[in-house]
Amino acid sequence: LRALSIKDDEAELLGITDESEKIFTGELAKYRWQNLLALNAEDLFKTLETSFDLLQKKSKNPTVKLLFRNAHIKIFDKPTLRRVLHEIETFSKELDAIAHEGNKDVFGDMYEYLLSKLSSAGTNGQFRTPRHIIDFMVKVVDPKKNETILDPACGTAGFLVAAYRYIAGEYTSDKLKKAGSPRAMDKLSADEKNFLFNHMFTGFDSDEDMIKFGMMNLHLHGLTKSRLVRQNSLTDTTGMKDKFDVILANPPFSGKIDEESVSEDLRMGTKATELLFLRFMMERLSLKGKLAVIVPEGVVFNTTNAHTKIRKMLIEKGLWAVVSLPSGVFNPYAGVKTCVLFLDNEIARTKTELMFVKIENDGFSLGAQRRPIEANDLPIAMETLRSWRDGKRAENAMVSYVEKEKITDNKDLILSADRYRMSTSHTGNKWPMVKLKDIASFIDDGDWVESKDQSDSGIRLIQTGNVGNGEYRDKSGKERYISEETFKRLRCTEIFEGDVLLSRLPDPVGRACVLPKMDQRAITAVDCTIFRFNSLVEAKYFVLITLSKEYQDKVNSRLSGATRQRISKGNLLEIEIPLPPLEVQKKIVAEFEKEDNQIKAKLEEITQLKESIKHKASQIWSA
């Protein structure tokens, strides 16, 4: 309401008399922000309720009609409601002062900050993409003036705003940047600016609330005429022919949709939303189009027909780089491992290789609380990608190149450099031998938690005693916990279902288990190392390997310590294990689980026989 009122004030200062360009005219005039501030608590509550209804019904501005559709007051304590308005006015005046100093995007910055504090995933599974990941993707794609830009699952419009910021900065002279106008865009002509503000940006989303968030975000950045449409990109687009020069997205994934609901031109025998969105985006790219999209790691290595088909399409449509992100990027919403795919046919047709980049750290801790840290691979990764994009081959520890022909010769078209670069280090083995450090996407030690740090409840503390030889030991009745306050103070690493926990203490050293689903959040104590493996390793396969004599011999040969022997993290990571293809690993695990179930059944039978003997012995007394 305040922002819309200020736009009306600016229109009056500019001498605009066209009533269609204003919002608070006629019977809506009394709902201007300054008028609301003058009301007492009782009148304010009634007036706001009326204003929400009338603004939606009477306004001729489509943005206003959308923003206030189904709007209602959620603050029912009337003095508190009045205080909220006056607090908004107080800090907004401070922001006004900053804006007058040259930062014209200050309200957009504020709004994006508020959006960043949304604490949970949306009802449709959407969650906010971290700003630094968005900026990284935009800079690699390098959108230009006069290019149309789409986000087909736009949410709060973070990608569109980031693209606008990037373009505005690229087309502003250094002179104006130094003068405090970083987005003056003095290098653009009047027609080019008109295109940017009126035709460049398009966004779709199926959630009305997300469209409202996104619309206001664009509005506060001056992009008032951008096209944001409430539309399900997978079901509502049959017959849509629009093509776009740039597509940036983090579409919903791990979701399912009724196959009958999917637009006919997108159907490919799957209900997986991440695959359907990929097809939608590739279909909407112009001939020289560029795409950057976040996908779950399963897209690059799952072997269903639909996954293989989508990878074939990606390569044909100009895939030139695959960037692996750390597991915790989307905490606290999800711990899913993700990748960024970059497509550009202009780049891809000049290269015979695909580039693979593995990012270990993104500048933030990877636990539930994302705190800034010094380790950050993004700047080097970005320079590496931009060099490759511009025709220069960069060499560093995080990058690999694989011939496209080698990938297309693989019937499953797996998009993982690890699949193609592994070599056998022991010629007598059937499968290649790989070091643990080369197949783990995340490795971390447990946290040093002293006795005084423990509490009666809170976050579960998993210790080496919980790690059995191949299985998790619950140790019911002996649980340990730490408080939320201690968790934050110690900057602990949270663990999740599916993580592999490995004890570096006896008995035996090197034993491992897969963490099951927990009823509460959890961390590990010191000497209990956390492993998250890359896409080529089945966690249960690794745990099975730790039961072997060969593995134990390797561990024992690297032990240190005079009394209580243990293995250091560095020595542990140098251990090599055989690594067959993922499909073979899964078969091995299935066979093991079958035999393990037989053992459990036999043990249960033995237990029942023992109980039967006890019962018969008791009967002797009553004979």
Side-chain angles (χ1 to χ4, degrees), residues 139-156:
K139 288 174 183 176
V140 173
V141 169
D142 188 28
K144 303 294 187 183
K145 64 179 182 179
N146 297 331
E147 290 185 333
T148 53
I149 301 175
L150 168 71
D151 183 346
C154 64
T156 61

Side-chain angles (χ1 to χ4, degrees), residues 510-577:
R511 66 188 183 278
C513 71
V514 176
L515 186 72
K517 186 175 182 178
M518 306 290 290
D519 293 332
Q520 68 268 74
R521 295 166 64 194
I523 66 166
T524 64
V526 68
D527 291 319
C528 190
T529 300
I530 309 160
F531 276 90
R532 291 172 192 154
F533 290 102
N534 66 24
S535 58
L536 299 181
V537 187
E538 177 79 14
K540 290 181 179 179
Y541 168 78
F542 170 74
V543 171
L544 179 58
I545 284 291
T546 65
L547 300 176
S548 66
K549 178 181 181 299
E550 289 77 6
Y551 166 84
Q552 201 59 58
D553 288 344
K554 289 177 179 289
V555 171
N556 292 338
S557 69
R558 295 173 179 267
L559 296 181
S560 59
T563 54
R564 195 183 190 196
Q565 289 198 313
R566 50 175 287 164
I567 189 169
S568 70
K569 181 179 172 184
N571 281 338
L572 175 67
L573 296 181
E574 290 297 320
I575 288 177
E576 294 181 318
I577 66 168

Side-chain angles (χ1 to χ4, degrees), residues 156-167:
T156 61
F159 276 105
L160 300 180
V161 168
Y164 157 71
R165 288 172 178 275
Y166 177 80
I167 291 168

Side-chain angles (χ1 to χ4, degrees), residues 180-199:
S181 298
R183 300 184 184 93
M185 295 183 280
D186 55 314
K187 292 183 179 181
L188 295 181
S189 68
D191 285 344
E192 288 168 339
K193 284 185 180 180
N194 177 64
F195 175 81
L196 184 148
F197 285 108
N198 294 305
H199 305 290

Side-chain angles (χ1 to χ4, degrees), residues 19 31 66 107 151 163 189 203 220 242 245 252 296 384 432 475 483 501 503 553 555 560 593 608:
E19 293 295 310
Y31 302 120
L66 173 68
F107 282 96
D151 183 346
S189 68
L220 290 169
D242 295 354
D245 303 313
T384 301
K475 299 187 74 174
S483 66
L501 308 182
S503 173
D553 288 344
V555 171
S560 59
E593 289 180 338
Q608 291 175 359

Side-chain angles (χ1 to χ4, degrees), residues 128-388:
R128 185 178 180 274
T129 311
R131 172 75 172 272
H132 63 292
I133 299 297
I134 291 177
D135 288 341
F136 166 76
M137 293 167 63
V138 170
K139 288 174 183 176
V140 173
V141 169
D142 188 28
K144 303 294 187 183
K145 64 179 182 179
N146 297 331
E147 290 185 333
T148 53
I149 301 175
L150 168 71
D151 183 346
C154 64
T156 61
F159 276 105
L160 300 180
V161 168
Y164 157 71
R165 288 172 178 275
Y166 177 80
I167 291 168
E170 289 291 293
Y171 292 99
T172 297
S173 64
D174 292 338
K175 180 181 178 181
L176 285 183
K177 286 179 182 177
K178 290 177 182 177
S181 298
R183 300 184 184 93
M185 295 183 280
D186 55 314
K187 292 183 179 181
L188 295 181
S189 68
D191 285 344
E192 288 168 339
K193 284 185 180 180
N194 177 64
F195 175 81
L196 184 148
F197 285 108
N198 294 305
H199 305 290
M200 179 174 281
F201 301 101
T202 299
F204 303 141
D205 203 285
S206 60
D207 188 319
E208 183 174 307
D209 286 337
M210 289 296 109
I211 288 290
K212 289 183 180 183
F213 283 136
M215 186 78 78
M216 200 65 201
N217 201 6
L218 293 173
H219 188 93
L220 290 169
H221 285 88
L223 303 169
T224 57
K225 295 188 178 179
S226 297
R227 182 183 173 218
L228 250 63
V229 181
R230 184 186 179 189
Q231 171 177 290
N232 188 320
S233 296
L234 303 183
T235 63
D236 302 339
T237 55
T238 299
M240 178 183 171
K241 302 298 181 185
D242 295 354
K243 300 284 185 180
F244 297 87
D245 303 313
V246 176
I247 299 179
L248 299 158
N250 177 19
F253 44 72
S254 299
K256 304 293 181 186
I257 186 171
D258 290 336
E259 206 165 336
E260 302 75 27
S261 302
V262 178
S263 294
E264 289 185 13
D265 54 344
L266 297 180
R267 292 179 187 176
M268 50 189 297
T270 181
K271 299 178 181 179
T273 54
E274 62 267 30
L275 303 185
L276 295 168
F277 263 106
L278 277 173
R279 176 158 191 179
F280 170 85
M281 287 183 277
M282 286 187 280
E283 296 288 348
R284 300 300 174 267
L285 273 180
S286 64
L287 289 176
K288 296 183 178 181
K290 299 176 284 189
L291 166 65
V293 56
I294 298 172
V295 298
E297 197 179 40
V299 168
V300 306
F301 69 85
N302 281 354
T303 55
T304 70
N305 289 336
H307 281 87
T308 303
K309 182 177 180 180
I310 209 72
R311 287 193 290 269
K312 184 173 186 292
M313 292 176 67
L314 287 166
I315 294 171
E316 291 172 349
K317 292 283 187 177
L319 181 70
W320 63 274
V322 179
V323 177
S324 173
L325 296 176
S327 298
V329 163
F330 290 106
N331 282 335
Y333 310 116
V336 63
K337 187 83 170 64
T338 55
C339 295
V340 182
L341 307 180
F342 290 98
L343 275 72
D344 185 330
N345 205 42
E346 292 286 294
I347 296 172
R349 65 190 178 94
T350 65
K351 303 183 183 302
T352 61
E353 297 172 304
L354 283 185
M355 174 188 241
F356 293 87
V357 180
K358 184 176 182 180
I359 294 174
E360 302 281 4
N361 292 288
D362 67 334
F364 294 85
S365 62
L366 299 174
Q369 305 297 323
R370 299 273 282 149
R371 299 180 181 87
I373 59 173
E374 289 186 10
N376 187 0
D377 299 332
L378 288 177
I380 296 175
M382 182 164 51
E383 289 307 312
T384 301
L385 285 156
R386 294 176 81 160
S387 293
W388 180 242

Side-chain angles (χ1 to χ4, degrees), residues 424-491:
T424 304
S425 58
H426 299 298
T427 56
N429 290 339
K430 181 178 180 181
W431 308 117
M433 300 293 290
V434 295
K435 293 181 179 180
L436 294 185
K437 67 179 182 181
D438 293 331
I439 55 175
S441 60
F442 177 80
I443 309 162
D444 199 12
D445 277 338
D447 299 291
W448 187 273
V449 180
E450 300 183 43
S451 297
K452 62 185 177 67
D453 294 321
Q454 296 180 26
S455 60
D456 295 331
S457 61
I459 297 169
R460 180 77 182 273
L461 176 63
I462 304 299
Q463 300 177 290
T464 55
N466 294 106
V467 182
N469 203 15
E471 60 184 1
Y472 173 76
R473 299 170 180 162
D474 186 58
K475 299 187 74 174
S476 297
K478 298 181 180 180
E479 297 92 342
R480 304 284 182 88
Y481 299 93
I482 65 167
S483 66
E484 180 73 31
E485 180 183 356
T486 301
F487 177 85
K488 292 178 180 178
R489 176 170 55 82
L490 297 179
R491 298 188 175 185

